Structure formats: structure tokens, C-alpha cells
Amino acid sequence: MAHKILIVDDAAFMRMMIKDILSKNGYDIVGEAADGAQAVDKYKETQPDLVTMDITMPEMDGITALKEIKKINSGAKVIMCSAMGQQAMVIDAIQAGAKDFIVKPFQADRVLEAIGKALG
């Protein structure tokens, strides 16, 4: 059975890029969210195997959303997506329980490697 993935990014274009990479490689996209608050709701609703989470978003940022999701399920697998130059935030995210991070612009092989490792 395909792994279920929730994609969270405030940029529709970025969600589309990740969705494209993942669906072509057999992953099942169970939902998308444009901010952290939506991400937490969608997580409860879809119970995905993995979440790709943008760090910088309106309403609720990715690190706060990650912490909220970890409260719902301490075993949740979340991979953070960051722009270059967000090292401090990436470190915060890893400390908050993120499994890995991928840097924008996305490279398909790196995205697949991070997701494979997190799910493996």
C-alpha cells in the first residue's frame, strides 16, 4: 500500500512541485495545507504516514505546527522544507522532532531520499 503524505506549504507552486515528485513515485497525497493551522487540522483528518512542512508560513509557522502535530502523535514523521539561509530554524525544527529537511528549490532525488529514510 502506498504511503500517505500530507503536503504543507503556503505557496501552491511548491505544493504542486512536491506533489508531482511524490505521485510519480507511487506515494499517495492525502491532503494539502497552506498554513500550519490547516496542517494540524488536516493531520487529524487524514492521519498521514508523513508530512512535508514548510517552515515559514502565515497564521502558524511550520515549527509550531510540527510541535502541535507531535502532541497529537508523538511518532509523527515530519520533514521540514526550508529556503536557503534558514539554518537556525532547521535546527529548531529537528530539535522539535522533525525527521529531516529538504531545501528549496526541491531536487527530486533529495526529496525522495529524505522521505524514504523517514519512512524506512
Side-chain angles (χ1 to χ4, degrees):
M1 198 168 100
H3 286 288
K4 299 184 303 185
I5 300 190
L6 171 63
I7 299 172
V8 184
D9 199 303
D10 57 331
F13 175 71
M14 288 297 175
R15 291 197 307 271
M16 192 185 75
M17 280 177 68
I18 295 185
K19 189 175 183 174
D20 193 48
I21 293 167
L22 298 180
S23 21
K24 279 182 181 157
N25 286 278
Y27 290 100
D28 180 15
I29 309 308
V30 292
E32 294 183 34
D35 65 51
Q38 279 182 18
V40 175
D41 290 341
K42 286 273 189 196
Y43 185 86
K44 289 179 197 164
E45 193 183 299
T46 60
Q47 299 290 307
D49 299 311
L50 184 129
V51 181
T52 64
M53 178 84 69
D54 187 20
I55 290 182
T56 315
M57 294 181 290
E59 299 299 318
M60 180 191 288
D61 67 56
I63 294 173
T64 307
L66 165 67
K67 290 175 180 168
E68 290 301 313
I69 286 171
K70 283 292 197 177
K71 283 181 197 167
I72 298 164
N73 174 5
S74 61
K77 295 180 167 85
V78 181
I79 292 178
M80 304 308 284
C81 305
S82 73
M84 290 302 242
Q86 290 183 315
Q87 276 80 3
M89 288 170 141
V90 167
I91 291 165
D92 287 348
I94 300 290
Q95 287 170 340
K99 291 279 179 209
D100 203 345
F101 68 95
I102 43 183
V103 178
K104 297 175 185 178
F106 303 118
Q107 292 169 307
D109 55 348
R110 176 66 190 114
V111 171
L112 295 169
E113 175 198 343
I115 287 175
K117 264 197 325 206
L119 290 169

